[in-house]
Amino acid sequence: MTEILHIDWTRCDGRGLCTELLPTVLVRDDWGYPLALQATNGNRSNPAISPGNIEAAREAVHLCPKLALSLVPEQAKPRQ
Amino acid sequence: MDNALWAFGRMSGVVSLVLFSVAVILGILNRSGRPLFAIPRFSMTLLHRNVSLLATVFLVFHIVALMLDSYAKLNVIDVFVPFLGGFKPFWQGLGTVAFDLVLAVVATGLLRHRLGQRSFRAIHWLSYAMWPIALGHAIGNGTDGTSKWFVVLAAGSLAAVGAAVAWRLSANFLETAKARQGGLS
Amino acid sequence: MTIQEAVGPAVDTLRGSAGTYQLFAAGSNAGLAEHEQAFGPLSLAAIDAGFMSVLGESGLTGRGGAAFSSWRKVAATAQGRGAALLPAKPVVIANGAEGEPLSFKDKTLLAHAPHLVIDGLLIAGRAVSASLLYIYTTPAAMPVVEAAVAERRDARKIKVVQAPETFISGEASAVVNSIATGVALPLDNRRRLSAAGLKGRPTLVLNVETLAHVALIARHGSGWFRAAGSERDPGTRLVSISGQGAGQVLEVEGDARLCDVLSSAGVDLSTVGAVLVGGYHGRWVRDLECRLSPSGPGENVINPGAGVLHILPARDCGLEATARILDYLARASAKQCGPCMFGLPAMARVLSAIAYGDRNPRLVLELERLTKLVGGRGACHHPDGTARLVSSALEMFAEDMKAHLLGTCTRETRSAI
Ligand code: HEM
Ligand code: SF4
Ligand code: SF4
């Protein structure tokens, strides 16, 4: 089952931990905030995480200094 | 035996103080969002945590050793409630306060995901109060407090942590500060 | 820009194209008596499970901007209660915040037909078995709405809450946040409002005009509603027209042609340079033949959003007008989300530089890059809406852009936005 890494923009401060842990999913923008390399329907707040990246994504959720990340099952995808 | 405990108690206190200084500096480095040399940001975060935990372990050694020691005779109440001790109650009380603060900071740090960011943050800021209190305790209470090597060590730590805090308060502290101040990129 | 007073224009001026004239049938500043005379009394008891399918057949879409199917939204809230033993009762909120500076149709509607909105709210509340009902509206409309609620016995449980006059205060999660905490900022969208909104209850936020249509559909049925408009865009909608003469609100049929709407508002089409359709989060349009329907943008179709039509006179510079709007939008960012808080001001700086004479050709590429960078990244759609506006300006005013880069913008005046 695919999971989605939800970025809570109201919390994220662009510290760049997640972009280091998930370099194939996220890069940093001009101001340091995570930028999903792939958009799903124009939405770049909920990148899909492939099975190979799940561990790194869990780590990012755990380590994010602002508690801005969460993993959500694909079905419970946030409203867009 | 007693002498060994006494020496161990004092040395673990010193080690703990040094580690807490490193923990504070790493915390500040962390906050800046910068990696250190080749160490990536997530490793810095882990390093900050692990050094903090190690410092706490040494702090516990320090306290347990002095509780067992027949000369210091620290009791359980003195460990948690400040300013009641028989020997230099003020300086020892500072140590107790620092320990209580460490407990609060570490416990909330470990329960961060349950507590939520706001409470964690509020308590975590107590680190900045905890460190100078611990240093005061070490200088005022310690048998080594005024010996030359300790003074040098304390002054070195103070300079390092002081510099880190000054940097923390400076305008370009954040890694992304420049871009966010809005130059055309 | 025209700020309407609470009372708004006289109702006689609201009749739109094709003589459509539904929402304001009770006349200017209608009280309960005029309302019941025009529409007949509301029989709430008649609203049963079957109403959901009537609403579905009507094809009504939200009139607050997003144009989402109203039936789906209501159904999602009704199901949002889940299967718990003691499910939380839903909340319905009538959203009259209308933070968009170029929109005044909701204020006008609340001024003249508050009882139609109240009817719609009571009906929607009954359809989802809500226990809490709110009307959220601007300070200017508060007195009328409060008076209308006080006039009715069946409206006693409706609470009227004041919305701050900020651009973002009408975003659905900001509405919920404002009522719950007094802070009208959007919330992270991980949890859906239809499952857990105000006080953790399933929450339905509907625009006030949407609710007024609900009130009419409940009375006359879906066939009646579909008689106006087209297959893909049934019913009527209110539009706020500004930019030439005094601001006007018209009720027009769905899928109406832009030029017809403007003509019935008395606009001289030959003086129109472009029209901003959908407001500050909308698009610039030059093809006045295009139709206004939420199925757009597409071939000759443009999404009217919340019904804003702002005219840019032919002699005005569209780049400059857009730069000024972008500046406003950058300042309107709720400054919660990094890409919005830093990206929008960066875009505004670049566009202003172009509009006010910087001839560095790389600025256009930079603006395009930033526009792509902010899209889809934020707790609300403010960055998306802003990116939409800028993209349409880059497309529609490409010629002006060239002229600016050559230092030869020929327009005479600065627009009034
Ligand atoms: C298990 C233990 C700990 C955990 C999980 C932890 C975690 C963290 C985290 C996540 C941050 C970043 C906060 C942010 O960016 O907003 C941080 C910062 C910091 N930590 Fe810790 N920490 C722990 C223990 C300690 C201890 C014991 C000290 C002090 C001796 C300390 C001192 C600091 C300092 C000074 C900062 C910088 C705060 C600022 O200036 O905003 N930490 N810590
Ligand atoms: S680790 Fe957290 S705060 Fe840092 S960029 Fe990623 S989401 Fe934002
Ligand atoms: S995207 Fe912008 S306007 Fe929307 S919540 Fe975030 S900061 Fe506020």
Side-chain angles (χ1 to χ4, degrees):
Chain A
M1 182 185 59
T2 332
E3 293 198 67
I4 276 170
L5 185 69
H6 174 66
I7 304 169
D8 179 345
W9 294 108
T10 65
R11 292 176 171 226
C12 170
D13 192 25
R15 304 284 181 74
L17 260 79
C18 52
T19 44
E20 281 175 339
L21 286 163
L22 295 162
T24 54
V25 181
L26 299 167
V27 293
R28 295 183 96 186
D29 69 9
D30 300 23
W31 311 280
Y33 295 91
L35 172 62
L37 285 169
Q38 299 216 325
T40 12
N41 305 328
N43 179 301
R44 288 188 289 180
S45 305
N46 300 291
I49 301 295
S50 65
N53 271 327
I54 284 285
E55 267 320 303
R58 289 222 170 87
E59 190 84 333
V61 170
H62 185 64
L63 289 180
C64 167
K66 305 297 272 185
L67 300 182
L69 298 172
S70 52
L71 274 167
V72 211
E74 167 100 64
Q75 304 93 293
K77 200 163 164 179
R79 74 186 151 86
Q80 307 209 333
Chain B
M1 179 59 203
D2 249 21
N3 256 339
L5 258 182
W6 174 235
F8 177 74
R10 278 157 44 210
M11 280 329 290
S12 50
V14 171
V15 171
S16 161
L17 182 65
V18 171
L19 286 174
F20 274 121
S21 309
V22 176
V24 169
I25 293 167
L26 284 171
I28 291 174
L29 256 168
N30 231 314
R31 178 71 181 77
S32 87
R34 275 170 241 260
L36 183 64
F37 309 117
I39 310 175
R41 296 172 185 85
F42 59 87
S43 306
M44 290 289 293
T45 302
L46 288 173
L47 205 61
H48 165 61
R49 283 179 201 194
N50 292 341
V51 168
S52 305
L53 290 178
L54 198 64
T56 311
V57 168
F58 272 93
L59 182 57
V60 171
F61 285 165
H62 170 65
I63 292 164
V64 170
L66 296 182
M67 279 173 78
L68 297 176
D69 178 59
S70 60
Y71 176 66
K73 280 206 231 69
L74 213 53
N75 64 38
V76 181
I77 295 179
D78 289 337
V79 172
F80 295 102
V81 187
F83 310 121
L84 297 179
F87 174 70
K88 293 197 190 170
F90 175 72
W91 298 109
Q92 183 179 304
L94 287 186
T96 307
V97 172
F99 178 59
D100 290 342
L101 292 178
V102 167
L103 285 186
V105 169
V106 170
T108 51
L110 296 176
L111 294 174
R112 197 168 64 108
H113 280 264
R114 295 251 190 94
L115 285 173
Q117 183 69 5
R118 224 175 260 201
S119 331
F120 160 75
R121 204 71 214 283
I123 304 280
H124 215 76
W125 272 67
L126 292 174
S127 321
Y128 286 116
M130 170 265 159
W131 188 83
I133 293 175
L135 184 68
H137 157 77
I139 294 171
N141 213 28
T143 321
D144 302 318
T146 45
S147 62
K148 196 170 170 202
W149 68 268
F150 186 80
V151 171
V152 170
L153 184 84
S157 310
L158 193 63
V161 172
V165 171
W167 177 55
R168 167 79 175 89
L169 296 172
S170 67
N172 279 336
F173 170 67
L174 288 181
E175 181 193 23
T176 44
K178 277 234 172 62
R180 291 184 188 183
Q181 277 155 17
L184 290 186
S185 43
Chain C
M1 166 172 45
T2 321
I3 310 282
Q4 294 288 307
E5 302 134 40
V7 180
V11 151
D12 313 336
T13 65
L14 302 173
R15 187 189 300 266
S17 59
T20 316
Y21 194 56
Q22 298 171 353
L23 296 171
F24 295 104
S28 294
N29 307 313
L32 187 57
E34 293 93 327
H35 169 74
E36 291 191 339
Q37 172 131 45
F39 299 110
L42 171 70
S43 61
L44 258 191
I47 305 300
D48 51 21
F51 179 67
M52 220 59 125
S53 55
V54 174
L55 194 59
E57 286 156 22
S58 77
L60 175 66
T61 55
R63 301 295 198 237
F68 194 70
S69 154
S70 303
W71 161 73
R72 275 181 212 287
K73 223 167 147 178
V74 174
T77 310
Q79 287 155 13
R81 307 167 66 180
L85 207 54
L86 280 173
K89 288 224 162 183
V91 180
V92 183
I93 304 170
N95 184 2
E98 206 174 31
E100 161 77 50
L102 297 176
S103 184
F104 35 88
K105 54 107 178 161
D106 287 343
K107 295 175 196 74
T108 308
L109 178 69
L110 285 171
H112 293 305
H115 291 287
L116 211 49
V117 176
I118 294 172
D119 283 355
L121 179 57
L122 294 173
I123 293 164
R126 187 167 162 101
V128 300
S129 314
S131 62
L132 290 171
L133 302 176
Y134 292 89
I135 299 178
Y136 177 75
T137 190
T138 48
M142 284 287 282
V144 192
V145 174
E146 276 176 331
V149 168
E151 220 180 334
R152 300 172 62 145
R153 306 187 58 198
D154 57 353
R156 282 214 189 115
K157 64 176 175 180
I158 296 178
K159 291 202 191 77
V160 184
V161 183
Q162 184 169 324
E165 294 193 87
T166 59
F167 186 79
I168 228 72
S169 67
E171 195 272 340
S173 67
V175 171
V176 169
N177 198 7
S178 180
I179 294 176
T181 68
V183 181
L185 297 181
L187 300 166
D188 175 52
N189 54 14
R190 178 172 165 179
R191 289 194 312 171
R192 287 170 212 216
L193 296 179
S194 61
L198 191 64
K199 303 184 185 170
R201 299 165 185 238
T203 300
L204 177 62
V205 182
L206 289 172
N207 169 263
V208 288
E209 185 195 335
T210 312
L211 286 169
H213 288 295
V214 166
L216 293 178
I217 291 167
R219 282 187 170 84
H220 308 308
S222 58
W224 173 88
F225 181 76
R226 297 193 73 97
S230 72
E231 184 60 30
R232 65 179 178 188
D233 186 19
T236 63
R237 69 165 45 79
L238 297 179
V239 292
S240 314
I241 302 172
S242 61
Q244 206 184 76
Q248 289 185 60
V249 173
L250 290 185
E251 183 174 358
V252 303
E253 290 203 50
D255 226 347
R257 279 198 315 172
L258 180 55
C259 52
D260 294 343
V261 174
L262 295 180
S263 300
S264 54
V267 172
D268 175 2
L269 296 183
S270 66
T271 63
V272 175
V275 180
L276 180 60
V277 178
Y280 284 9
H281 279 174
R283 292 185 172 79
W284 288 108
V285 177
R286 279 212 160 121
D287 172 18
L288 302 185
E289 295 289 312
C290 72
R291 291 182 174 275
L292 300 171
S293 157
S295 53
E299 200 50 30
N300 298 322
V301 186
I302 185 89
N303 186 342
V308 168
L309 304 176
H310 182 80
I311 296 154
L312 182 80
R315 63 192 142 83
D316 282 8
C317 173
L319 286 178
E320 217 182 284
T322 312
R324 221 165 308 170
I325 298 174
L326 182 54
D327 214 49
Y328 174 94
L329 291 173
R331 278 181 284 118
S333 157
K335 305 215 168 25
Q336 300 194 93
C337 315
C340 178
M341 157 165 65
F342 297 108
L344 269 45
M347 287 164 70
R349 277 192 298 274
V350 177
L351 184 56
S352 290
I354 299 171
Y356 297 111
D358 190 329
R359 290 165 56 185
N360 183 345
R362 286 191 21 227
L363 288 175
V364 182
L365 289 177
E366 174 65 359
L367 184 57
E368 282 169 352
R369 185 186 74 86
L370 288 169
T371 305
K372 272 208 204 94
L373 195 58
V374 301
R377 298 169 73 221
C380 76
H381 284 306
H382 189 50
D384 295 323
T386 306
R388 190 180 313 136
L389 171 82
V390 172
S391 307
S392 85
L394 285 171
E395 199 184 316
M396 280 301 136
F397 305 127
E399 290 299 315
D400 303 66
M401 185 71 89
K402 274 189 208 136
H404 271 256
L405 294 178
L406 294 170
T408 58
C409 176
T410 50
R411 317 257 176 191
E412 348 163 353
T413 42
R414 318 209 137 168
S415 87
I417 293 182

